[in-house]
Amino acid sequence: MNDSGRDPGAARNRENVYEVSKLDRGTVIDHLRAGTAVRAASVLRLPPSCPMMLGVNLESERLGRKDIIKIRHYELSEEEAAKVALISPDATLSIIRDFSVAQKIDLHPPIAFRGLIRCTNDVCITHSEGIRGRFFVASHDPVTAACEYCGRHITADHFEFEKNA
Amino acid sequence: MRVSEQDFVGRDVITVSDFRREEILFLLDTAARFENETGTPLAGRVIAALFFEASTRTRLSFESAVGRLGGTSIGFAEAGASSATKGENLSDTVRVVEGYSDLLLLRHPLEGAARLAAEFVDIPVVNCGDGAHQHPTQTFVDLYTMRRECGRLDGLHVVFCGDLRFGRAVHSLVSVLALFNARVTLVSPSFLRLPAEHRHTLESNGVIYNEAPDLESSLAEADVLYMTRVQRERFTDPLEYERFKDTYTLDLNVLKRASDQLAILHPLPRVNEIAREVDGQSHAAYFRQAHYGVAVRKALLALLLGVAGEVPK
Ligand SMILES: [Zn+2]
């Protein structure tokens, strides 16, 4: 028992319950900031009837509270992973194959990117020309993207994600 | 990091922040050289001025610069005269015009238009205003005027007065003054206060600034007063406009408190914010400012086209 009266081992065990419930093949997105799972799930382009589980406000040693997403029989594309990183920087992505972690990736927002989101400035030239936006990350916490064309700064909670991933 | 003419050749001019302090100073030095230039380094060159939005002053200033250097300008002065009214994309228009010209001047109501145009053509693109976003040559002219009138650019105390909220010229100049160790005073009604992002820029760049309610008392130690007009089109409620339009009026009475060396700048056009009686004062630099604009634009065009060196020193 530590000062706070909590047993860190027990907390870890509780975490494990969520993390390792048997996924034969698929993706686990862990360490999502609490409250971001629904939004992160919404940017994924899953095939119809693809099973997905969301865990919300789970205990986490690192974050206090965290969200988690598990998807069966689906591996995220690079674009989807980048979108998730924009919503929740420093989440972790695990690709599960044959009941074990085949690959684990620490997500980070891209420094500069084309597309993924659209500029929120109605009078930005990208809209009338029908071209994908270009952005660079202007600050990290919260993630703020700046449009390379019109200069508009957009914070993460205002991101409008492209539909066609 | 010595700057040479070569650093400018073929370059796009989209935002002021694309330029380093040394490059801006080099441009201003070249402009000084071009003030009374009578040579024709632009002979045989064609400059395309695509003005999708009316801007008489900027267009005439550029056309004068082109003409005085012996170049030819083609283009249109408002979108109605262009193929944009037939629904053509900007990217198509500029690719067509690229074949007709050596340099593209672009003014467009949509923000980011100049950056987009620059991606589609190889010739230099100069942003002459893209919506409320950027108008870099105005800022270069402002800096040139300040240095020309005050004899230096470093360590000036600059007072901005009027509409600091919507004024693109103010935002751009404020952002670049940090490069020249300026001190800044902001005078505006609270409704027209400088937006937070620009105040943060000042802070993060270590610029000493203060906000003052009153113009008169701000002038005693100022080197430059940058006046702006309150624009009617910014207000949805005409009564609001009436309430703010005459908040600050610079007249001889207000000027009594000014230091001898004060230079008054204004991007023009003015409405009532500077009384006509001020025009005859040595402080009044705003018409000279408009004239310096031609020298600065001459220098910029010559540098971008790689012919600035053809002028005898
Ligand atoms: Zn934009």
Side-chain angles (χ1 to χ4, degrees):
Chain A
M1 295 287 261
N2 61 12
D3 306 350
S4 66
R6 286 173 49 198
D7 176 357
R12 203 171 302 124
N13 285 336
R14 274 197 300 278
E15 248 182 75
N16 287 347
V17 173
Y18 304 117
E19 273 173 24
V20 203
S21 79
K22 299 301 173 204
L23 201 58
D24 58 335
R25 185 159 63 77
T27 304
V28 176
I29 311 170
D30 198 357
H31 302 107
L32 289 162
R33 296 195 179 177
T36 62
V38 172
R39 189 140 185 264
S42 73
V43 302
L44 308 177
R45 312 302 293 171
L46 303 178
S49 75
C50 176
M52 171 166 66
M53 288 165 276
L54 303 189
V56 172
N57 286 326
L58 310 180
E59 282 181 45
S60 160
E61 275 189 84
R62 200 168 97 194
L63 301 170
R65 295 278 164 186
K66 68 170 185 180
D67 289 0
I68 186 166
I69 299 176
K70 293 187 184 187
I71 313 157
R72 240 179 109 194
H73 298 174
Y74 184 79
E75 294 186 10
L76 260 61
S77 69
E78 261 180 53
E79 272 203 5
E80 286 170 314
K83 286 178 178 177
V84 171
L86 287 172
I87 293 169
S88 186
D90 51 57
T92 55
L93 184 71
S94 301
I95 306 294
I96 312 292
R97 286 174 198 146
D98 205 11
F99 296 100
S100 58
V101 176
Q103 199 186 359
K104 189 164 181 175
I105 304 158
D106 290 329
L107 293 182
H108 299 290
I111 297 162
F113 53 97
R114 188 173 268 285
L116 304 183
I117 60 174
R118 57 189 300 284
C119 185
T120 56
N121 180 359
D122 289 337
V123 292
C124 178
I125 189 73
T126 53
H127 304 314
S128 70
E129 291 290 307
I131 61 160
R132 295 183 90 189
R134 272 198 302 123
F135 304 87
F136 64 92
V137 171
S139 66
H140 275 273
D141 209 354
V143 176
T144 303
C147 174
E148 292 271 13
Y149 294 94
C150 73
R152 170 70 61 95
H153 280 56
I154 311 162
T155 49
D157 43 335
H158 292 105
F159 285 163
E160 295 170 12
F161 287 93
E162 282 184 333
K163 294 276 183 286
N164 51 339
Chain B
M1 296 237 283
R2 238 182 75 80
V3 181
S4 76
E5 285 165 14
Q6 213 49 43
D7 295 320
F8 287 85
V9 179
R11 209 163 150 178
D12 302 310
V13 181
I14 310 297
T15 77
V16 170
S17 57
D18 297 341
F19 291 82
R20 293 183 290 121
R21 175 191 150 95
E22 291 73 18
E23 291 173 331
I24 293 173
L25 290 172
F26 188 89
L27 170 64
L28 302 188
D29 288 342
T30 310
R33 193 150 64 75
F34 270 83
E35 244 191 59
N36 297 306
E37 166 55 30
T38 53
T40 56
L42 288 192
R45 305 293 183 126
V46 177
I47 311 298
L50 306 186
F51 277 56
F52 289 88
E53 182 182 64
S55 171
T56 315
R57 234 162 295 269
T58 304
R59 190 172 54 83
L60 290 181
S61 178
F62 265 113
E63 281 187 4
S64 171
V66 172
R68 285 190 189 281
L69 294 183
T72 305
S73 57
I74 59 170
F76 49 84
E78 50 184 316
S82 77
S83 49
T85 49
K86 297 178 193 138
E88 186 175 57
N89 278 347
L90 176 63
S91 55
D92 285 359
T93 306
V94 296
R95 275 180 287 187
V96 169
V97 173
E98 176 177 29
Y100 304 161
S101 56
D102 302 301
L103 185 148
L104 196 63
L105 306 171
L106 182 73
R107 186 178 184 101
H108 199 281
L110 295 179
E111 300 177 11
R115 178 80 70 201
L116 179 118
E119 285 182 353
F120 281 91
V121 300
D122 290 329
I123 58 174
V125 173
V126 177
N127 186 3
C128 299
D130 56 339
H133 182 220
Q134 283 272 331
H135 186 9
T137 62
Q138 173 72 55
T139 306
F140 295 144
V141 173
D142 293 341
L143 292 171
Y144 185 78
T145 306
M146 287 163 61
R147 195 176 73 164
R148 183 77 160 67
E149 295 286 325
C150 303
R152 68 197 158 96
L153 201 46
D154 269 303
L156 295 176
H157 182 180
V158 184
V159 177
F160 289 91
C161 179
D163 173 7
L164 311 187
R165 179 176 175 186
F166 299 109
R168 174 181 57 192
V170 170
H171 300 166
S172 181
L173 187 53
V174 158
S175 74
V176 81
L177 278 177
L179 299 178
F180 302 101
N181 312 308
R183 216 197 114 184
V184 169
T185 298
L186 307 168
V187 182
S188 72
S190 57
F191 176 71
L192 296 173
R193 193 177 173 206
L194 188 73
E197 54 181 297
H198 296 289
R199 279 182 276 126
H200 292 156
T201 305
L202 285 173
E203 272 159 32
S204 57
N205 290 326
V207 176
I208 301 169
Y209 81 95
N210 66 301
E211 298 184 273
D214 166 57
L215 177 57
E216 211 171 330
S217 60
S218 305
L219 291 183
E221 288 169 7
D223 299 297
V224 173
L225 169 60
Y226 198 92
M227 285 297 285
T228 61
R229 108 192 122 106
V230 175
Q231 299 188 54
R232 184 191 299 271
E233 54 267 34
R234 299 299 184 195
F235 294 85
T236 44
D237 180 356
L239 286 176
E240 284 276 285
Y241 170 70
E242 290 302 319
R243 201 155 79 85
F244 287 113
K245 75 177 167 78
D246 293 327
T247 314
Y248 298 103
T249 304
L250 181 68
D251 55 21
L252 290 183
N253 198 35
V254 175
L255 259 186
K256 272 186 197 150
R257 301 276 296 273
S259 61
D260 291 341
Q261 79 275 11
L262 178 75
I264 305 163
L265 276 65
H266 192 304
L268 301 180
R270 70 167 152 185
V271 191
N272 297 319
E273 61 278 3
I274 302 178
R276 314 274 142 174
E277 64 191 21
V278 176
D279 296 355
Q281 303 290 305
S282 60
H283 301 297
Y286 31 93
F287 292 117
R288 293 194 290 276
Q289 180 184 3
H291 300 159
Y292 298 145
V294 176
V296 172
R297 292 183 172 108
K298 276 155 83 176
L300 188 66
L301 293 173
L303 284 169
L304 299 179
L305 290 172
V307 295
E310 292 174 25
V311 176
K313 295 189 183 173

